[in-house]
């Protein structure tokens, strides 16, 4: 009944990309200690990786009740909501992430904000967010395509 041991076990499984085993260990850690913040977040993150976006978003909301300043939880909540087609709440969560910090840990928040803004035909805002993403991750695998997209959006806005 040592929650930290289960958390560490889950972290090892996560690094090995054994998502089911990682989830099992993180859930066990939370069952031992319901206030174990890192384990609770890791349950949400693992659910996110497994593409269980409804479950992940509910867990991230719970995590954020415990710690309102956790940018990564806002980012993954926003991305989960994006995939659940909840654009309004996704935008709110993603903006919260980048308002807390604007470093590479939340770079994906800018990318998904750019996607939301493209869908909403907000070309100037989309270009700015995608540029912020590239500023944080200049060696992104699709950086060339994103630069072309940004130029196209700037021309149309």
């Amino acid at each position: 009944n040592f929650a930290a041991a289960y958390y560490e076990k889950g972290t090892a499984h996560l690094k090995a990309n054994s998502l089911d085993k990682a989830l099992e260990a993180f859930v066990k850690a939370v069952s031992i200690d319901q206030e174990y913040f890192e384990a609770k977040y890791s349950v949400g993150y693992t659910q996110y990786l497994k593409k269980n976006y409804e479950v992940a978003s509910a867990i991230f909301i719970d995590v954020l009740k415990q710690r309102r300043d956790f940018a990564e939880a806002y980012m993954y909540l926003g991305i989960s909501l994006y995939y659940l087609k909840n654009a309004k709440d996704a935008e709110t969560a993603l903006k919260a992430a980048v308002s807390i910090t604007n470093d590479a840990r939340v770079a994906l928040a800018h990318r998904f904000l750019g996607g939301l803004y493209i869908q909403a035909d907000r070309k100037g805002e989309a270009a700015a967010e995608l540029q912020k993403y590239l500023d944080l991750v200049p060696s992104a695998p699709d950086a060339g395509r994103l630069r072309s997209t940004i130029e196209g959006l700037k021309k149309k806005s």
Side-chain angles (χ1 to χ4, degrees), residues 14-30:
L14 195 59
K15 286 178 183 173
N17 204 30
S18 297
L19 298 181
D20 291 332
K21 290 179 180 180
L23 183 59
E24 182 181 321
F26 292 138
V27 167
K28 181 67 175 174
V30 173

Side-chain angles (χ1 to χ4, degrees), residues 97-119:
V98 299
S99 74
I100 293 168
T101 187
N102 197 23
D103 60 25
R105 290 176 297 153
V106 295
L108 279 176
H110 291 293
R111 186 179 183 121
F112 277 84
L113 279 168
L116 283 171
Y117 294 153
I118 289 170
Q119 291 174 5

Side-chain angles (χ1 to χ4, degrees), residues 12-142:
H13 285 303
L14 195 59
K15 286 178 183 173
N17 204 30
S18 297
L19 298 181
D20 291 332
K21 290 179 180 180
L23 183 59
E24 182 181 321
F26 292 138
V27 167
K28 181 67 175 174
V30 173
S31 73
I32 294 168
D33 180 358
Q34 289 79 30
E35 298 303 311
Y36 195 162
F37 175 80
E38 293 84 357
K40 195 183 302 185
Y41 169 77
S42 295
V43 171
Y45 181 67
T46 306
Q47 292 286 10
Y48 163 82
L49 292 174
K50 290 173 62 76
K51 299 182 183 230
N52 295 329
Y53 299 120
E54 280 190 47
V55 175
S57 61
I59 293 168
F60 291 133
I61 289 168
D62 189 45
V63 163
L64 288 164
K65 289 177 186 171
Q66 192 173 346
R67 192 169 140 202
R68 285 264 181 235
D69 65 342
F70 195 49
E72 291 95 328
Y74 278 111
M75 180 179 71
Y76 289 117
L77 170 60
I79 296 170
S80 295
L81 293 169
Y82 174 91
Y83 285 125
L84 291 170
K85 309 284 189 234
N86 183 343
K88 180 181 176 223
D89 291 339
E91 180 182 4
T92 300
L94 293 167
K95 282 182 168 180
V98 299
S99 74
I100 293 168
T101 187
N102 197 23
D103 60 25
R105 290 176 297 153
V106 295
L108 279 176
H110 291 293
R111 186 179 183 121
F112 277 84
L113 279 168
L116 283 171
Y117 294 153
I118 289 170
Q119 291 174 5
D121 202 32
R122 295 161 59 183
K123 293 175 180 67
E125 291 169 282
E129 290 298 334
L130 292 175
Q131 185 60 57
K132 289 175 189 173
Y133 170 74
L134 281 179
D135 291 345
L136 293 169
V137 189
S139 60
D142 59 346

